[in-house]
């Protein structure tokens, strides 16, 4: 769709012969990837001393410089990715994805051949039942009273991607059905009891075509709860799916299971890390038997929050299958979905919880497989589907943008956002396919941020802490090389992104290599009377909205004159492209 296309497209499109980007498909969700920057507290303060000019007071003016010689991290081109929840099969949205929010599909590749991933994974992964190939696997019908919706989505090798055209009445009926199913799914999520889903060949066709036509690479999570009497994985159904996908020549990467550390809660039967490691080894052997997937990527174990028992699970897995997977994956959700205060999204202590989890995962992975890539494969602002007017509001963006910054600065290769569209309130678009604040935030990130993370130095930011008190930064600053795919900026430019959690404005003076450069400002603020609860945003004072069903608005910067002090309004998020820095770290890919 145009929403996905715009989200991924960061510059001029390449010819249609370019290979599509990456899309991860897992049983409960879909994911897309991108890159973020280094927080001020993680920068190399000693390496980049900045002298304060006479008369400047550190408490009123912040001096900022960036190390432009060498990047401190280089993250995947697919750093920011998206997840689709398996509930789209349950509630019927899969049949409408192709027409959602756009008048036409993406008919070619994007500027980068590996620009993003989409993942089909989530809590419902383990309840995908039989993979069923009906006699007529070429058409799936959804029946609403007297109405029939035929899905004619197909990948035409000569004519490109076609889309399904649905009457408005069909979309309205689908929303009614989805609203009813939403209550059922929420009840399942809160009770940890899920009904089985049947994935038909036609559903898989639709899912793959959606990814392929959007220029994404699909990652699919297989059901790991199909067990033999000896508790080993029963791979018979997975083998049927693999053979079918291979017969269609689908380019898919794979996973096995979702949060395996919670299986006892789900089904009263546990699987330890060592056993799951053996299951992954079995899956790798299956893939090697099928020519199409003999070199396919395999990711896992997709564990939950790394508490003590989960760390022990990961250690058991890494001992057996650390060399089998191409990247180690885990999930993180910040707060309970039952929270009801917008101020929960502004707590700096909450923003910092992710750093400790990253260190725990890295310690285990580097013990068994030093240098192995690590992905945060499922991340959302809240668990249990989130809360309306909170986890889908402007306020949730503070957590989201800080997450991207922390992950990139600490070397996490890919982050998969849960989710593009599902039954909860953590998604990026609503059921009318209108972009929510986190979508616009992610879109700006994709357009402006490149994979090279830069160290920063800040003077005048820290206060002297009182005894026994920890000072946590409410002003968070990250820096990257500007995306090479954005043809509005020459190579060597630098992009800053800044989170101001203070209730007062902050002033930043660019120093060193950034001094006296022209800057383009992209300031995101809530739009409308709802303030931080708003589901709409404005860019540099102009509200952001789709031009029509298939056209994203132009993201126009506000040029700032060379040498001008950056004024950061309270409780806002912003991006600043410092033009023509000619940074050595950013000249070459």
């Amino acid at each position: 769709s145009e929403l996905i296309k715009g989200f991924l497209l960061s510059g001029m499109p390449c010819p249609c012969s370019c290979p599509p980007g990456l899309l991860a498909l897992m049983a409960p969700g879909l994911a897309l990837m991108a890159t973020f920057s280094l927080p001020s507290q993680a920068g190399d303060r000693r390496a980049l001393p900045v002298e304060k000019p006479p008369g400047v007071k550190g408490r009123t003016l912040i001096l900022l410089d960036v190390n432009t010689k060498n990047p401190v991290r280089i993250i995947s081109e697919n750093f920011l990715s998206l997840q689709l929840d398996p509930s789209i099969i349950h509630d019927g949205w899969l049949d409408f994805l192709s027409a959602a929010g756009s008048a036409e599909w993406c008919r070619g590749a994007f500027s980068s051949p590996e620009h993003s991933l989409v993942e089909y994974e989530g809590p419902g992964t383990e309840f995908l039942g039989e993979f069923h190939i009906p006699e007529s696997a070429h058409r799936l019908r959804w029946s609403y009273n007297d109405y029939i919706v035929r899905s004619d989505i197909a990948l035409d090798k000569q004519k490109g991607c076609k889309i399904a055209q649905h009457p408005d009445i069909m979309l309205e009926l689908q929303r009614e059905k989805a609203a009813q199913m939403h209550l059922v799914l929420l009840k399942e999520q809160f009770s940890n009891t899920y009904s089985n889903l049947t994935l038909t060949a036609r559903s898989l066709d639709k899912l793959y075509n959606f990814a392929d036509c959007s220029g994404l690479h699909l990652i699919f999570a297989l059901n790991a709860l199909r067990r033999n009497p000896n508790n080993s994985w029963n791979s018979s159904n997975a083998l049927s799916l693999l053979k079918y996908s291979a017969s269609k020549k689908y380019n898919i990467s794979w996973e096995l299971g979702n949060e395996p550390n919670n299986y006892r809660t789900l089904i009263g039967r546990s699987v330890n890390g060592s056993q799951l490691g053996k299951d992954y080894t079995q899956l790798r052997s299956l893939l090697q038997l099928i020519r199409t997937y003999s070199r396919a990527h395999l990711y896992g174990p997709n564990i939950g929050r790394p508490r003590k028992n989960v760390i022990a699970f990961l250690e058991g897995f890494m001992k057996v299958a650390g060399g089998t997977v191409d990247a180690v994956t885990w999930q993180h959700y910040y707060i309970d979905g039952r929270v009801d205060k917008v101020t929960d999204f502004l707590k700096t202590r909450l923003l910092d919880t992710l750093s400790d989890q990253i260190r725990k995962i890295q310690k285990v992975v580097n013990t068994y497989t030093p240098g192995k890539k690590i992905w945060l494969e499922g991340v959302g602002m809240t668990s249990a589907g989130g809360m309306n007017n909170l986890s889908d509001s402007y306020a949730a963006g503070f957590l989201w943008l800080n997450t991207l910054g922390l992950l990139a600065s600490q070397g996490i290769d890919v982050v998969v956002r849960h989710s593009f569209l599902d039954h909860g309130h953590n998604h990026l678009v609503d059921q009318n396919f209108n972009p929510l604040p986190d979508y616009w935030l992610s879109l700006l990130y994709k357009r402006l941020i490149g994979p090279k993370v830069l160290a920063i130095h800040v003077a005048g930011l820290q206060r002297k802490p009182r005894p026994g008190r920890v000072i946590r930064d409410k002003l968070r600053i990250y820096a990257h090389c500007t995306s090479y795919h954005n043809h509005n900026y020459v190579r060597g430019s630098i992009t800053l992104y800044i989170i101001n959690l203070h209730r007062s404005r902050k002033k930043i003076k660019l120093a060193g290599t950034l001094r006296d450069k022209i800057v383009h400002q992209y300031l995101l603020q809530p739009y409308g009377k709802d303030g931080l609860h708003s589901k709409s945003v404005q860019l540099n004072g102009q509200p952001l909205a789709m031009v029509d069903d298939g056209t994203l608005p132009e993201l126009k910067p506000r040029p700032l004159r060379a040498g001008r002090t950056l004024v950061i309004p309270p409780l806002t998020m912003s991006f600043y492209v410092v033009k023509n820095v000619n940074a050595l770290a950013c000249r070459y890919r």
Side-chain angles (χ1 to χ4, degrees):
S1 71
E2 188 65 26
L3 287 176
I4 293 289
K5 176 182 177 180
F7 186 85
L8 300 176
L9 188 58
S10 58
M12 294 295 290
C14 70
C16 293
S17 59
C18 292
L22 298 177
L23 168 73
L25 176 59
M26 303 172 65
L30 283 172
L32 295 178
M33 302 182 167
T35 312
F36 275 83
S37 70
L38 185 66
S40 59
Q41 59 266 37
D44 187 350
R45 299 174 187 272
R46 294 172 298 176
L48 293 168
V50 177
E51 297 296 333
K52 293 184 182 180
V56 173
K57 296 181 180 180
R59 290 190 178 183
T60 59
L61 187 67
I62 296 161
L63 296 180
L64 172 65
D65 194 11
V66 174
N67 184 341
T68 60
K69 294 182 179 179
N70 299 293
V72 292
R73 306 281 187 192
I74 301 178
I75 311 301
S76 170
E77 289 276 359
N78 302 316
F79 176 75
L80 177 55
S81 294
L82 291 175
Q83 188 180 71
L84 286 181
D85 195 277
S87 63
I88 62 173
I89 293 177
H90 212 322
D91 61 20
W93 279 117
L94 177 61
D95 205 48
F96 288 79
L97 277 179
S98 66
S102 80
E104 63 177 7
W105 276 100
C106 171
R107 295 183 180 273
F110 297 116
S111 54
S112 172
E114 293 184 332
H115 205 48
S116 278
L117 307 167
V118 65
E119 182 176 74
Y120 184 65
E121 181 266 342
T125 298
E126 307 303 1
F127 297 93
L128 280 175
E130 297 290 335
F131 173 67
H132 179 57
I133 305 177
E135 291 183 8
S136 177
H138 303 289
R139 177 163 293 172
L140 178 65
R141 298 184 180 184
W142 301 91
S143 178
Y144 298 93
N145 300 323
D146 296 330
Y147 295 96
I148 299 293
V149 178
R150 292 181 175 85
S151 176
D152 295 316
I153 308 167
L155 182 63
D156 187 319
K157 296 298 183 181
Q158 275 68 46
K159 298 181 180 179
C161 295
K162 298 179 180 180
I163 65 170
Q165 298 293 338
H166 302 302
D168 291 342
I169 183 64
M170 302 314 305
L171 191 57
E172 185 59 36
L173 289 169
Q174 167 57 25
R175 291 193 187 104
E176 292 177 6
K177 176 189 175 184
Q180 296 172 4
M181 185 58 64
H182 169 72
L183 300 177
V184 175
L185 294 174
L186 281 180
K187 183 178 180 180
E188 289 182 352
Q189 196 164 27
F190 276 95
S191 63
N192 271 329
T193 57
Y194 297 88
S195 57
N196 288 330
L197 298 174
T198 297
L199 178 67
T200 66
R202 187 54 185 146
S203 295
L204 181 60
D205 292 342
K206 293 178 183 179
L207 189 58
Y208 185 82
N209 286 344
F210 167 76
D212 197 34
C213 292
S214 298
L216 306 173
H217 177 75
L218 183 63
I219 300 175
F220 192 97
L222 298 165
N223 186 342
L225 282 182
R226 298 177 66 87
R227 315 302 295 183
N228 294 315
N230 64 356
N231 210 30
S232 64
W233 178 49
N234 185 329
S235 61
S236 58
N237 193 246
L239 184 59
S240 298
L241 191 152
L242 290 171
K243 288 181 177 179
Y244 176 79
S245 300
S247 72
K248 305 284 284 189
K249 295 183 170 54
Y250 287 162
N251 180 18
I252 300 176
S253 296
W254 304 93
E255 274 199 332
L256 180 60
N258 178 68
E259 292 195 72
N261 50 285
N262 286 335
Y263 285 174
R264 179 174 291 279
T265 303
L266 292 174
I267 61 168
R269 184 177 184 181
S270 64
V271 175
N272 61 36
S274 297
Q275 179 58 58
L276 188 68
K278 295 175 183 177
D279 300 336
Y280 263 79
T281 302
Q282 180 183 352
L283 175 54
R284 174 61 77 185
S285 298
L286 282 180
L287 294 173
Q288 290 173 343
L289 291 175
I290 301 172
R291 179 177 298 180
T292 303
Y293 300 122
S294 60
R295 297 184 180 181
H297 290 293
L298 180 61
Y299 305 107
N302 203 19
I303 54 174
R305 191 171 183 174
R307 298 182 176 89
K308 185 175 181 180
N309 64 315
V310 180
I311 289 297
F313 186 101
L314 180 59
E315 288 175 336
F317 176 85
M318 295 301 295
K319 289 177 184 177
V320 176
T324 299
V325 293
D326 294 286
V328 176
T329 60
W330 102 101
Q331 301 184 27
H332 176 71
Y333 294 89
Y334 279 95
I335 49 184
D336 193 304
R338 300 167 181 83
V339 298
D340 57 3
K341 295 180 296 183
V342 71
T343 52
D344 287 317
F345 295 96
L346 308 179
K347 295 177 180 177
T348 54
R349 184 181 300 275
L350 179 65
L351 268 64
D352 293 335
T353 57
L354 181 59
S355 291
D356 182 56
Q357 293 195 27
I358 294 172
R359 287 190 290 269
K360 289 179 180 179
I361 297 292
Q362 287 175 329
K363 182 179 179 180
V364 175
V365 173
N366 290 331
T367 297
Y368 295 96
T369 55
K372 178 76 69 175
K373 299 293 185 182
I374 302 175
W375 292 10
L376 181 56
E377 199 171 70
V379 60
M381 303 310 100
T382 60
S383 62
M387 290 293 292
N388 189 28
N389 295 322
L390 284 176
S391 48
D392 51 3
S393 70
Y394 177 87
F398 297 122
L399 275 177
W400 177 224
L401 190 55
N402 189 68
T403 296
L404 294 168
L406 283 178
L407 292 171
S409 67
Q410 294 187 241
I412 302 303
D413 200 47
V414 164
V415 54
V416 177
R417 170 60 190 262
H418 181 84
S419 112
F420 179 67
L421 173 72
D422 64 10
H423 63 279
H425 302 285
N426 281 323
H427 40 242
L428 297 179
V429 300
D430 64 20
Q431 289 196 348
N432 293 313
F433 298 103
N434 295 315
L436 293 166
D438 277 5
Y439 178 90
W440 297 116
L441 189 62
S442 302
L443 180 62
L444 277 171
Y445 184 88
K446 292 288 287 188
R447 294 282 179 89
L448 300 176
I449 302 298
K452 291 185 178 180
V453 186
L454 304 175
I456 67 173
H457 175 76
V458 178
L461 179 63
Q462 296 284 3
R463 306 187 304 276
K464 184 177 180 180
R466 298 195 298 270
R469 182 186 176 99
V470 176
I471 297 297
R472 298 180 184 273
D473 288 335
K474 287 192 173 183
L475 186 69
R476 300 183 175 228
I477 307 172
Y478 302 87
H480 278 247
C481 294
T482 302
S483 173
Y484 298 127
H485 304 294
N486 192 322
H487 294 179
N488 294 320
Y489 302 107
V490 299
R491 291 192 179 187
S493 299
I494 288 173
T495 300
L496 310 169
Y497 51 104
I498 301 173
I499 303 168
N500 183 13
L501 294 172
H502 290 277
R503 297 186 180 274
S504 60
R505 69 179 187 174
K506 296 298 172 182
K507 296 181 179 180
I508 297 177
K509 189 72 174 178
L510 301 182
T513 55
L514 308 185
R515 183 185 291 118
D516 297 329
K517 301 296 182 184
I518 295 175
V519 175
H520 278 185
Q521 172 186 278
Y522 297 83
L523 173 63
L524 275 180
Q525 294 174 287
Y527 178 71
K529 62 182 180 180
D530 294 327
L532 296 179
H533 287 276
S534 178
K535 295 183 181 181
S536 300
V537 297
Q538 54 185 324
L539 177 65
N540 297 326
Q542 298 298 316
L544 287 177
M546 297 290 289
V547 176
D548 54 42
D549 282 348
T551 308
L552 286 163
E554 183 180 357
L555 303 178
K556 295 181 179 179
R558 178 189 176 193
L560 305 179
R561 70 175 184 272
R564 178 173 174 174
T565 298
L566 307 182
V567 180
I568 317 299
L571 299 175
T572 58
M573 297 165 281
S574 51
F575 296 80
Y576 295 89
V577 179
V578 187
K579 299 181 64 178
N580 305 321
V581 178
N582 199 27
L584 180 62
C586 305
R587 291 182 200 167
Y588 310 102
R589 295 187 66 174

